[in-house]
Amino acid sequence: MIGTDITKASTLLNSGQLVAIPTETVYGLAGNALDPEAISNIYKVKNRPHFNPLILHLPNIESARKYVLQFPKEAEKLAKSFWPGPLSILLPKSKLVPDLITAGSTHVVLRVPNHTLTLDLLNTLDFPLAAPSANISNTVSPTTAEHVEQGLGSEIPYILDGGTCQIGLESTIVAIENGLVVILREGGISQEQITKETDLSVQLASSNELQSPGQLSKHYSTTKPLHLVSSIKTFLEKYPHKKCCALLFENKRVNCKSYLLSNEYNLSEIANNLFSLMRIADQDDSDCIIVEHIKQEGIGRAIADRLNRSASTF
Ligand code: TXA
Ligand code: MG
């Protein structure tokens, strides 16, 4: 059931049930983070492997403190600059955080989402919410209540409808290592933004460093093949018998059915439309989806990350 009733959502969560919640990034599948049964149910409903930990959602920085052993000054700066917002921070967990949340790790990821409905909801609760994206594992993340309904509607009692997600890509996850900010997952806040808003040094995690365990190469899968290509025109000339549809970063002519992610190569707009147009393209009568490589700057790198994972399925 879809609705906008915070009291109903709060009552369900207080009784150990799961509720889908809107955030500025993607919809989350939320449960009481301190209730092992609710957490187990999240893994079950999503068909999520147990080695893949969950993010703790909180209403503000003060409420976050008791779930970590320390809040280093770098984290403090990040939280002050970006919370509420699409930045999640990995910190050493306190005893209050169940091991099920962190999949046994000594560290937990915290986030304060920037969505009024969900912040209001979090403020009615005396526990944090564990909330992975509200989709079956490995499928495209939901950016509307209807997307959640299509994937998980029969499994959960309530979907809190907060409209279309403003950002459309998951949060950026960072760790603090020796005073450095290390990006574990690119997302709604770019490396450039962190550098601009704080005086912290930021780097991307190299592949042999600690990575988010959920960064499986197979992820964000459409049901039909998604091909990343250098040129749509050349691809269509090379494979004239393939019935493709294209996702475009700007308005241009192509020789196949196409969907516009943005009129003028606006990266935020592309991020915002990506998952919903991937779903639509997946449901039309074409046999495959083609997308060109995107500019590797700002949020473009997070978009490239999602497209690479989606393409690597095939
Ligand atoms: O924007 C978001 O972050 C959304 C909304 C709903 O808040 N949530 C989200 O959750 O994307 P999920 O579960 O789909 O992705 C969380 C990622 C996974 O890759 C997971 O491995 C990583 O965060 N993660 C969570 N806890 C971790 C931990 N303790 N250590 C390392 N990585 C962690
Ligand atoms: Mg996810």
Side-chain angles (χ1 to χ4, degrees):
M1 183 186 181
I2 298 182
T4 55
D5 187 347
I6 293 182
T7 313
K8 180 171 174 134
S10 180
T11 308
L12 286 165
L13 289 163
N14 268 298
S15 71
Q17 305 210 55
L18 306 186
V19 171
I21 54 164
T23 81
E24 79 283 28
T25 59
V26 300
Y27 274 73
L29 175 61
N32 177 352
L34 308 183
D35 174 356
E37 248 178 73
I39 306 167
S40 295
N41 208 12
I42 292 179
Y43 282 99
K44 194 169 119 217
V45 166
K46 262 186 78 80
N47 192 19
R48 181 176 178 112
H50 277 89
F51 60 78
N52 193 0
L54 308 176
I55 298 179
L56 224 57
H57 292 65
L58 297 136
N60 50 47
I61 182 169
E62 278 65 44
S63 57
R65 293 189 198 280
K66 65 176 172 187
Y67 299 104
V68 296
L69 290 181
Q70 75 242 25
F71 218 100
K73 63 179 190 309
E74 295 82 4
E76 202 75 54
K77 272 188 189 162
L78 290 169
K80 289 216 168 88
S81 303
F82 297 109
W83 282 1
L87 187 84
S88 300
I89 311 177
L90 180 78
L91 293 170
K93 83 176 191 72
S94 77
K95 278 198 186 121
L96 291 178
V97 180
D99 288 333
L100 255 181
I101 292 280
T102 63
S105 163
T106 53
H107 285 59
V108 63
V109 174
L110 305 179
R111 148 163 163 76
V112 177
N114 190 14
H115 194 293
T116 346
L117 262 191
T118 290
L119 286 174
D120 287 351
L121 172 66
L122 282 164
N123 275 313
T124 70
L125 303 170
D126 55 11
F127 48 82
L129 290 175
S133 50
N135 53 317
I136 304 282
S137 275
N138 298 336
T139 63
V140 179
S141 299
T143 53
T144 65
E146 290 72 28
H147 293 163
V148 181
E149 170 92 2
Q150 285 155 21
L152 301 177
S154 58
E155 304 287 328
I156 53 177
Y158 200 54
I159 300 166
L160 190 60
D161 189 353
T164 302
C165 300
Q166 247 176 25
I167 306 268
L169 286 185
E170 294 85 348
S171 62
T172 300
I173 303 177
V174 298
I176 316 289
E177 287 171 25
N178 307 318
L180 272 183
V181 179
V182 180
I183 297 184
L184 305 179
R185 175 178 75 179
E186 305 200 75
I189 287 183
S190 66
Q191 183 173 5
E192 289 90 330
Q193 268 171 292
I194 301 177
T195 312
K196 198 172 144 218
E197 301 287 326
T198 66
D199 55 357
L200 301 168
S201 307
V202 190
Q203 65 180 44
L204 286 179
S206 63
S207 49
N208 53 3
E209 265 178 293
L210 168 76
Q211 290 263 0
S212 290
Q215 300 286 76
L216 309 171
S217 62
K218 177 176 155 31
H219 212 141
Y220 307 103
S221 312
T222 42
T223 54
K224 63 179 78 158
L226 183 146
H227 301 294
L228 270 180
V229 302
S230 303
S231 152
I232 289 175
K233 187 165 175 281
T234 317
F235 185 88
L236 291 174
E237 282 163 6
K238 195 167 165 196
Y239 301 103
H241 302 300
K242 274 196 198 283
K243 193 173 174 192
C244 297
C245 69
L247 296 177
L248 301 178
F249 303 137
E250 60 197 327
N251 202 347
K252 64 173 182 182
R253 231 170 228 295
V254 288
N255 254 339
C256 66
K257 179 182 280 201
S258 64
Y259 302 96
L260 257 191
L261 292 160
S262 164
N263 263 315
E264 301 177 319
Y265 218 123
N266 177 313
L267 290 173
S268 318
E269 210 170 44
I270 294 170
N272 198 240
N273 290 320
L274 183 67
F275 289 153
S276 58
L277 286 181
M278 274 170 72
R279 283 168 182 265
I280 290 175
D282 203 20
Q283 280 155 22
D284 74 10
D285 62 351
S286 61
D287 301 327
C288 63
I289 306 170
I290 44 180
V291 200
E292 288 181 356
H293 297 284
I294 194 158
K295 276 186 211 159
Q296 296 277 319
E297 62 181 47
I299 202 176
R301 276 194 302 273
I303 298 169
D305 169 81
R306 305 305 187 268
L307 285 170
N308 283 332
R309 289 177 204 284
S310 183
S312 78
T313 313
F314 303 99

